[in-house]
Protein backbone atom coordinates (compact mmCIF):
# COMPACT_ATOMS: atom_id res chain seq x y z
CA UNK A 1 0.00 0.00 0.00
CA UNK A 2 2.94 2.28 0.07
CA UNK A 3 4.50 4.21 2.95
CA UNK A 4 1.37 4.24 5.07
CA UNK A 5 -1.18 1.53 5.66
CA UNK A 6 -4.83 2.50 5.85
CA UNK A 7 -7.79 0.61 7.13
CA UNK A 8 -11.41 1.57 7.52
CA UNK A 9 -13.23 0.74 10.72
CA UNK A 10 -17.04 0.82 10.88
CA UNK A 11 -18.40 1.78 14.30
CA UNK A 12 -21.88 1.35 15.68
CA UNK A 13 -22.57 5.08 15.32
CA UNK A 14 -21.81 4.89 11.56
CA UNK A 15 -18.61 6.98 11.75
CA UNK A 16 -15.66 5.99 9.59
CA UNK A 17 -12.20 6.32 11.08
CA UNK A 18 -9.04 6.14 8.98
CA UNK A 19 -5.86 4.95 10.66
CA UNK A 20 -2.67 5.88 8.86
CA UNK A 21 0.38 4.78 10.78
CA UNK A 22 2.89 2.06 10.13
CA UNK A 23 3.33 -0.60 12.76
CA UNK A 24 6.86 -0.71 14.16
CA UNK A 25 6.62 -4.36 15.23
CA UNK A 26 7.17 -7.24 12.83
CA UNK A 27 4.12 -9.25 11.91
CA UNK A 28 4.52 -12.74 13.48
CA UNK A 29 2.85 -14.48 10.52
CA UNK A 30 5.18 -12.74 8.07
CA UNK A 31 8.15 -13.65 10.27
CA UNK A 32 7.10 -17.31 10.27
CA UNK A 33 6.69 -17.26 6.47
CA UNK A 34 10.21 -15.86 6.08
CA UNK A 35 11.65 -18.53 8.36
CA UNK A 36 10.21 -21.41 6.30
CA UNK A 37 12.76 -23.61 4.58
CA UNK A 38 12.44 -26.11 1.80
CA UNK A 39 12.09 -29.55 3.36
CA UNK A 40 13.07 -32.94 2.08
CA UNK A 41 10.28 -34.66 0.17
CA UNK A 42 8.06 -36.97 2.19
CA UNK A 43 8.05 -39.64 -0.49
CA UNK A 44 11.50 -41.03 -1.11
CA UNK A 45 10.72 -42.24 -4.61
CA UNK A 46 8.03 -41.17 -7.04
CA UNK A 47 5.18 -43.57 -7.72
CA UNK A 48 5.03 -45.34 -11.05
CA UNK A 49 1.65 -43.80 -11.87
CA UNK A 50 1.77 -40.71 -14.03
CA UNK A 51 -1.92 -39.80 -14.42
CA UNK A 52 -5.03 -39.65 -12.25
CA UNK A 53 -6.45 -42.72 -13.97
CA UNK A 54 -3.29 -44.66 -13.12
CA UNK A 55 -3.64 -43.69 -9.46
CA UNK A 56 -7.38 -44.49 -9.29
CA UNK A 57 -7.21 -47.89 -10.99
CA UNK A 58 -3.79 -48.85 -9.67
CA UNK A 59 -3.24 -52.48 -8.81
CA UNK A 60 -0.82 -53.31 -6.05
CA UNK A 61 2.59 -54.06 -7.45
CA UNK A 62 4.61 -56.96 -6.21
CA UNK A 63 7.89 -55.13 -5.92
CA UNK A 64 8.14 -52.74 -3.01
CA UNK A 65 10.83 -50.68 -4.75
CA UNK A 66 8.40 -49.21 -7.27
CA UNK A 67 5.93 -47.95 -4.60
CA UNK A 68 6.75 -44.58 -3.03
CA UNK A 69 7.52 -44.87 0.67
CA UNK A 70 7.15 -42.19 3.31
CA UNK A 71 10.19 -41.25 5.32
CA UNK A 72 9.54 -42.49 8.84
CA UNK A 73 11.40 -39.62 10.46
CA UNK A 74 9.34 -37.01 8.59
CA UNK A 75 6.13 -38.82 9.44
CA UNK A 76 7.15 -39.04 13.10
CA UNK A 77 7.95 -35.32 13.10
CA UNK A 78 4.57 -34.48 11.50
CA UNK A 79 2.67 -36.53 14.06
CA UNK A 80 4.68 -35.00 16.89
CA UNK A 81 3.93 -31.47 15.63
CA UNK A 82 0.24 -32.38 15.34
CA UNK A 83 0.21 -33.82 18.87
CA UNK A 84 1.91 -30.68 20.28
CA UNK A 85 -0.60 -28.48 18.46
CA UNK A 86 -3.49 -30.57 19.83
CA UNK A 87 -2.09 -30.35 23.38
CA UNK A 88 -1.80 -26.56 23.14
CA UNK A 89 -5.35 -26.31 21.86
CA UNK A 90 -6.54 -28.61 24.67
CA UNK A 91 -4.74 -26.50 27.29
CA UNK A 92 -6.24 -23.29 25.89
CA UNK A 93 -9.72 -24.79 25.83
CA UNK A 94 -9.43 -26.12 29.39
CA UNK A 95 -8.09 -22.74 30.59
CA UNK A 96 -11.00 -20.90 28.97
CA UNK A 97 -13.38 -23.50 30.38
CA UNK A 98 -12.02 -22.89 33.91
CA UNK A 99 -12.39 -19.12 33.47
CA UNK A 100 -15.97 -19.56 32.28
CA UNK A 101 -16.74 -21.90 35.19
CA UNK A 102 -15.31 -19.35 37.63
CA UNK A 103 -17.43 -16.59 36.09
CA UNK A 104 -20.50 -18.83 36.29
CA UNK A 105 -19.76 -19.54 39.98
CA UNK A 106 -19.45 -15.82 40.69
CA UNK A 107 -22.67 -15.11 38.81
CA UNK A 108 -24.43 -17.89 40.75
CA UNK A 109 -23.23 -16.50 44.08
CA UNK A 110 -24.39 -13.00 43.12
CA UNK A 111 -27.75 -14.33 41.96
CA UNK A 112 -28.22 -16.18 45.26
CA UNK A 113 -27.35 -13.04 47.25
CA UNK A 114 -29.74 -10.95 45.13
CA UNK A 115 -32.47 -13.54 45.61
CA UNK A 116 -31.91 -13.54 49.38
CA UNK A 117 -32.07 -9.73 49.48
CA UNK A 118 -35.17 -9.74 47.30
CA UNK A 119 -36.87 -12.30 49.56
CA UNK A 120 -35.90 -10.25 52.62
CA UNK A 121 -37.32 -7.10 50.99
CA UNK A 122 -40.54 -8.91 50.09
CA UNK A 123 -40.84 -10.20 53.66
CA UNK A 124 -40.23 -6.72 55.10
CA UNK A 125 -42.81 -5.24 52.74
CA UNK A 126 -45.39 -7.88 53.73
CA UNK A 127 -44.70 -7.25 57.42
CA UNK A 128 -45.01 -3.48 56.92
CA UNK A 129 -48.24 -3.96 54.99
CA UNK A 130 -49.67 -6.10 57.79
CA UNK A 131 -48.61 -3.53 60.39
CA UNK A 132 -50.17 -0.71 58.36
CA UNK A 133 -53.39 -2.69 58.00
CA UNK A 134 -53.38 -3.27 61.77
CA UNK A 135 -52.73 0.45 62.36
CA UNK A 136 -55.89 1.32 60.44
CA UNK A 137 -58.01 -1.04 62.50
CA UNK A 138 -56.35 0.31 65.67
CA UNK A 139 -57.17 3.87 64.57
CA UNK A 140 -60.81 2.91 64.12
CA UNK A 141 -60.88 1.16 67.50
CA UNK A 142 -59.11 4.11 69.17
CA UNK A 143 -61.68 6.51 67.69
CA UNK A 144 -64.48 4.39 69.13
CA UNK A 145 -62.79 4.28 72.54
CA UNK A 146 -62.26 8.05 72.44
CA UNK A 147 -65.95 8.55 71.73
CA UNK A 148 -66.92 6.29 74.62
CA UNK A 149 -64.46 8.01 76.95
CA UNK A 150 -65.87 11.42 76.00
CA UNK A 151 -69.36 10.10 76.71
CA UNK A 152 -68.29 8.69 80.10
CA UNK A 153 -66.57 11.98 81.03
CA UNK A 154 -69.64 14.02 80.05
CA UNK A 155 -71.84 11.65 82.07
CA UNK A 156 -69.52 12.01 85.10
CA UNK A 157 -69.54 15.78 84.66
CA UNK A 158 -73.33 15.83 84.52
CA UNK A 159 -73.48 13.62 87.61
CA UNK A 160 -71.05 15.90 89.48
CA UNK A 161 -73.15 18.97 88.53
CA UNK A 162 -76.31 17.25 89.76
CA UNK A 163 -74.64 16.32 93.02
CA UNK A 164 -73.34 19.87 93.40
CA UNK A 165 -76.78 21.31 92.68
CA UNK A 166 -79.16 18.86 94.30
CA UNK A 167 -77.01 16.49 96.35
CA UNK A 168 -76.49 16.24 100.10
CA UNK A 169 -74.34 18.86 101.76
CA UNK A 170 -71.69 16.34 102.79
CA UNK A 171 -71.04 15.42 99.10
CA UNK A 172 -71.35 18.95 97.68
CA UNK A 173 -68.09 20.10 99.19
CA UNK A 174 -66.09 17.07 97.92
CA UNK A 175 -67.41 16.93 94.35
CA UNK A 176 -65.96 19.22 91.71
CA UNK A 177 -67.21 19.26 88.11
CA UNK A 178 -64.93 17.94 85.31
CA UNK A 179 -63.35 20.41 82.97
CA UNK A 180 -62.96 19.00 79.43
CA UNK A 181 -59.58 19.58 77.85
CA UNK A 182 -59.68 22.11 75.07
CA UNK A 183 -57.51 22.14 71.97
CA UNK A 184 -55.17 24.58 73.72
CA UNK A 185 -52.29 22.57 75.23
CA UNK A 186 -51.74 25.17 78.02
CA UNK A 187 -54.99 24.19 79.77
CA UNK A 188 -55.14 20.79 81.43
CA UNK A 189 -57.89 18.81 83.09
Amino acid sequence: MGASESSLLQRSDDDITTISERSESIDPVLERLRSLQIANPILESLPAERSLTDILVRKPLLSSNSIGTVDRQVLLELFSMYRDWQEKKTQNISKKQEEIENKIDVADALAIKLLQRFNYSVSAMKTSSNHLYEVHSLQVELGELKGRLTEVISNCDALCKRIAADGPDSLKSTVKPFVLASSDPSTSA
Side-chain angles (χ1 to χ4, degrees):
M1 265 191 177
S4 66
E5 296 178 0
S6 297
S7 65
L8 297 177
L9 299 174
Q10 183 90 21
R11 292 189 183 168
S12 62
D13 56 354
D14 294 334
D15 289 340
I16 298 176
T17 305
T18 305
I19 301 171
S20 60
E21 60 183 54
R22 185 166 184 93
S23 175
E24 297 294 326
S25 64
I26 299 174
D27 186 17
V29 175
L30 185 61
E31 188 64 31
R32 288 179 74 189
L33 281 174
R34 286 183 182 159
S35 67
L36 289 177
Q37 296 177 355
I38 297 175
N40 294 333
I42 295 174
L43 298 175
E44 292 177 349
S45 64
L46 294 174
E49 297 89 6
R50 297 282 180 230
S51 70
L52 182 63
T53 308
D54 291 341
I55 293 172
L56 292 175
V57 294
R58 170 177 67 149
K59 294 180 181 174
L61 300 173
L62 296 177
S63 75
S64 62
N65 291 341
S66 63
I67 297 176
T69 57
V70 178
D71 185 9
R72 290 183 180 149
Q73 190 63 31
V74 171
L75 192 60
L76 178 65
E77 194 173 323
L78 284 174
F79 280 127
S80 141
M81 286 172 52
Y82 179 73
R83 187 189 69 228
D84 292 343
W85 177 75
Q86 284 290 352
E87 285 177 2
K88 286 179 184 176
K89 285 288 187 186
T90 305
Q91 288 173 356
N92 286 342
I93 290 171
S94 68
K95 184 178 178 181
K96 287 180 182 178
Q97 219 171 8
E98 286 177 13
E99 290 174 0
I100 290 171
E101 287 174 1
N102 289 340
K103 289 178 181 178
I104 289 173
D105 289 342
V106 168
D108 282 345
L110 287 174
I112 289 171
K113 283 198 176 235
L114 285 173
L115 182 63
Q116 288 172 345
R117 288 184 181 175
F118 176 75
N119 287 338
Y120 175 76
S121 298
V122 167
S123 173
M125 288 171 63
K126 283 182 181 178
T127 305
S128 298
S129 173
N130 288 337
H131 288 289
L132 288 174
Y133 180 74
E134 291 171 7
V135 164
H136 178 67
S137 62
L138 286 175
Q139 282 178 334
V140 170
E141 193 175 323
L142 187 63
E144 290 173 2
L145 288 175
K146 186 178 176 184
R148 288 182 190 165
L149 184 60
T150 305
E151 185 180 337
V152 167
I153 289 174
S154 67
N155 287 342
C156 284
D157 187 44
L159 184 61
C160 288
K161 286 180 183 177
R162 265 182 75 197
I163 290 174
D166 298 332
D169 291 333
S170 62
L171 287 178
K172 283 183 183 181
S173 62
T174 59
V175 175
K176 295 182 181 178
F178 279 46
V179 178
L180 293 177
S182 64
S183 62
D184 187 12
S186 61
T187 61
S188 59

